[in-house]
Amino acid sequence: GVTCMDAVRAFIDPFAFDLPDVTYPDRLVLLGMTLPERLLYVVYTEKAPSGRLRIISARRATRHEQKSYEEH
């Protein structure tokens, strides 16, 4: 499985990028790599005004998401 610490590590990836969550407009999706070479799909939201992030869920990326990461 994916731990909370794994999800946090995905944010450190210099090649990670955000996508809008089409189901929930107040959420973002991050595709980011952790070590050892595991691509994660992390759903999160930003708490205003503090700017802190709240991780909602994290899982391994699908093949389609992996392709999107590689092409980005």
Side-chain angles (χ1 to χ4, degrees), residues 34-49:
T34 65
L35 296 176
E37 307 254 341
R38 186 164 71 157
L39 185 61
L40 298 184
Y41 178 98
V42 182
V43 179
Y44 71 98
T45 187
E46 188 173 337
K47 295 282 196 174

Side-chain angles (χ1 to χ4, degrees), residues 22-61:
V22 294
T23 308
Y24 300 96
D26 59 328
R27 296 180 183 182
L28 292 169
V29 172
L30 176 99
L31 283 176
M33 190 74 68
T34 65
L35 296 176
E37 307 254 341
R38 186 164 71 157
L39 185 61
L40 298 184
Y41 178 98
V42 182
V43 179
Y44 71 98
T45 187
E46 188 173 337
K47 295 282 196 174
S50 69
R52 295 178 74 176
L53 302 181
R54 177 177 166 249
I55 295 173
I56 297 167
S57 67
R59 61 169 172 76
R60 291 186 84 147

